[in-house]
Amino acid sequence: MASRRLFLAVAALLCVAAAECHLAQAFKKSYIVYLGSHAYGRDASMEEHARATQSHHELLGSVLGSKQMAKDAILYSYTKNINGFAAHLEEEVAAQISRHPEVVTVLESTMLKLHTTRSWDFMDMERDGQILPDSIWKHAKFGQDVIIANLDSGVWPESNSFIDDGVVGEVPKRWKGSCPDTAKYGVPCNKKLIGAKYFNKDMLVNNPGAVDGNWTRDTEGHGTHTLSTAGGRFVPSASLFGYANGTAKGGAPRARVAAYKVCWSGECAAADVLAGFEAAIHDGADVISVSFGQDAPLADADSFLQEPVTLGSLHAAMRGISVVCSAGNAGPLEDTVVNSAPWVTTVAASTVDRDFPNVVTLGNNNHMTGMSLETTTLHSSKLYPMIKASDAALASCDPVIASTCPLGTLDPAKVKDKIVVCVRGGDIPRVTKGITVLNAGGAGMILANGEMDGDDIIADPHVLPATMITYKEAVSLYKYMDSSKSPVANISPSKTEVGVKNSPSVAAFSSRGPSGTLPYVLKPDIAAPGVDILAAFTEYVSPTEVPDDERRSEYAIMSGTSMACPHVSGVIGLLRAARTEWSPAAMRSAIMTTARTQDNTGAPMRDHDGAEATAFAFGAGNVHPNRAVDPGLVYDLSTDDYLTFLCAMGFTTSELTKLSAGKFACPAKVPPMEDLNYPSIVVPALRHSATVTRRLKNVGRPGTYRSTWHAPYGINMTVEPAALEFKKAGEEKEFKVALKSDKDKLGKGYVFGRLVWSDGTHHVRSPVVVNALD
């Protein structure tokens, strides 16, 4: 090995002189070699795991030339549930091994991105701090002993959300996890936080500078925030710098929680993610929460299993584990939703009825409302001079660049004691813009939306008096500034305001359907609170995550589908405790069919721009947990249903036999993808007519359910039979939905309707989405 290292060093020097020279080492990448499932279960012996590892060494060694070379190349052997390994390989070697008869597929490792209090009250689980009699919290005993695993950036174990004071009983015996951190500041276990593991081998190979240590400790805050939202304890008097003061709560506050650190510096390497999934499945998690995903949807259905969340979540689903994922933050554009596999619950972000408004008063006595969480204020009786950042640029800086307020672009002589108007965007963090103004001596900042930003404004914990205003208000502001020789203004202190009307609405950043990868399944599935969410945070960095900000807080307010996802993870944790016999698909169905599509004024839910939102924005609607515990009927799915769906997608019996460890083969007659027994109905390419089949399972009392529907525009819709009688719990009944296009009303693209089954007490709602081509 020493002589080989010397050879590589000499070769590297020679490359400087010879452009044609290159090292194979430099062209290596991380690949996941996926072999399917192991035949053994969770209780397999160490010897069986060792034999699996040995078989991986032998398989790779047969291509590389020796078992030792295989051992050196392998980063992870997946031996507990997923069968496969991750290795650092040349592209040619990866291509060669992909042709091996034992291999299902080979994935090139990619980087996935993190999708970065009052919310439970807003969802009617409590009112004015009091838990309601019909709250799902009471039905589920607050999620007692359900185990929620969080794949994310780790955990800050000192947070009060994770201490075990008052935790009843010992850790469930089925739990196999642990807290093996040996670092000085590693994460210890207790009876609440029962697992903490880190996975960084892939990241160390591809981006070693992103790894902050061999530990599960959260140095970013994202993982702590999401885990406490899903399963944190009740913590009174929580706030961010005095804002949103109240009791911080997790969705399943008596659940046990476990942190799997697979994300480092905002990115999550694919092989590390798959290792995290395997560990959480083997350790015994009931729910796995995933608030990250691909930057963009997969290119096509052929690459469907070439993605670690899709693959890891499938193995979890096959073991009866619910997986909840964020939809992505690439909205409001369509076809941006990620994590769209039918065996995961995909969550969009909506607002709550809480804002943090402040007011800008202009010299002409006009007022405009903005949003902020600033920690300092201006003198209330004084009007301050204003200047556009583009007019305050340093002589050496392009005014267009300076308009977005990057660090070091403003002239202190022009900015001192003034309110600076910065334009949103430019890939500059919003809080950093305020630091730029403060460093230049500015008194305050107005952050102005551009036309593309519209009315979407966000409350940030700024370091100086500041506010963020809509594009419409920004136009009025510029008009005033351009018409005045000496424009002046004041920014009032922000306040916490609850009961905001027309809530919820869909957040602008929330990724939208349809899923270009999988158009036959409606994604996202459901919307949940994801804007201005208060939850636990790391004290390693500021809640703004800006390096120059020295403030610290045990709790932070964050926005993103990352924040929406753990709300649903917590609700599924409660359903797991209250309805132990239900499958993960039944729980998702209960959440979807009981969702709301109206805001708190009784009007249809709105999108960020005020237009009526569609199912591509919120799925089945906004989550309503109390209803989900008693949905009446559910659309259930089994592992075989998912594998049959993969058959319809074009995966072969050979591939699916390996994936299922020999337990499944494609049926002789494969039903169309539209017939997957999903709680929503999508026909992405209707050619005159189609019939879709579904089946409903009774999970309540005997009764007769009758169907009503609102057909999508230009579509004739009928349901047969129109009534279903259920005589006992567990009974299943099939029905068909016939859809026929009206040739005079084509050309509208996707159109939206709904189907409702009701026994007079329960209302089982499903979105119906159709794209009529002829």
Side-chain angles (χ1 to χ4, degrees), residues 13-22:
L13 291 173
L14 291 174
C15 281
V16 176
E20 295 82 6
C21 175
H22 67 275

Side-chain angles (χ1 to χ4, degrees), residues 92 187 213 269 338 424:
E92 293 81 0
V187 174
V338 296
R424 183 178 181 178

Side-chain angles (χ1 to χ4, degrees), residues 66 136 263 521 568 700:
S66 77
I136 189 175
C263 301
V521 178
V568 175

Side-chain angles (χ1 to χ4, degrees), residues 184-260:
K184 182 178 181 181
Y185 297 105
V187 174
C189 283
N190 59 34
K191 290 194 290 185
K192 173 67 176 177
L193 177 61
I194 61 173
K197 295 178 179 178
Y198 67 88
F199 302 90
N200 60 13
K201 293 178 181 179
D202 194 3
M203 187 64 79
L204 283 170
V205 166
N206 289 286
N207 186 14
V211 177
D212 54 36
N214 291 323
W215 56 7
T216 316
R217 181 168 293 276
D218 184 9
T219 58
E220 300 173 54
H222 193 275
T224 302
H225 198 281
T226 54
L227 183 57
S228 67
T229 301
R233 296 173 62 252
F234 283 11
V235 181
S237 302
S239 72
L240 171 65
F241 306 140
Y243 292 105
N245 187 42
T247 300
K249 309 174 185 73
R254 290 185 186 166
R256 317 287 177 148
V257 297
Y260 297 81

Side-chain angles (χ1 to χ4, degrees), residues 400-422:
V400 175
I401 294 175
S403 69
T404 60
C405 298
L407 289 170
T409 58
L410 302 183
D411 187 341
K414 298 176 181 178
V415 168
K416 185 172 174 57
D417 296 331
K418 294 179 182 177
I419 294 174
V420 179
V421 180
C422 299

Side-chain angles (χ1 to χ4, degrees), residues 74-98:
I74 287 178
L75 304 174
Y76 294 105
S77 270
Y78 305 115
T79 62
K80 297 179 176 65
N81 181 273
I82 300 164
N83 186 7
F85 56 88
H88 201 48
L89 303 172
E90 297 170 17
E91 185 176 352
E92 293 81 0
V93 173
Q96 184 178 349
I97 202 167
S98 69

Side-chain angles (χ1 to χ4, degrees), residues 453-507:
D453 303 312
D455 294 337
D456 177 50
I457 55 177
I458 299 169
D460 292 307
H462 291 289
V463 296
L464 80 172
T467 192
M468 186 177 195
I469 59 173
T470 66
Y471 174 66
K472 183 179 179 181
E473 298 280 34
V475 171
S476 298
L477 175 66
Y478 295 142
K479 185 176 180 180
Y480 163 68
M481 294 181 73
D482 292 341
S483 66
S484 174
K485 291 182 179 179
S486 303
V488 291
N490 190 288
I491 304 170
S492 75
S494 298
K495 61 180 180 179
T496 302
E497 181 180 298
V498 297
V500 176
K501 298 300 181 185
N502 297 116
S503 302
S505 62
V506 181

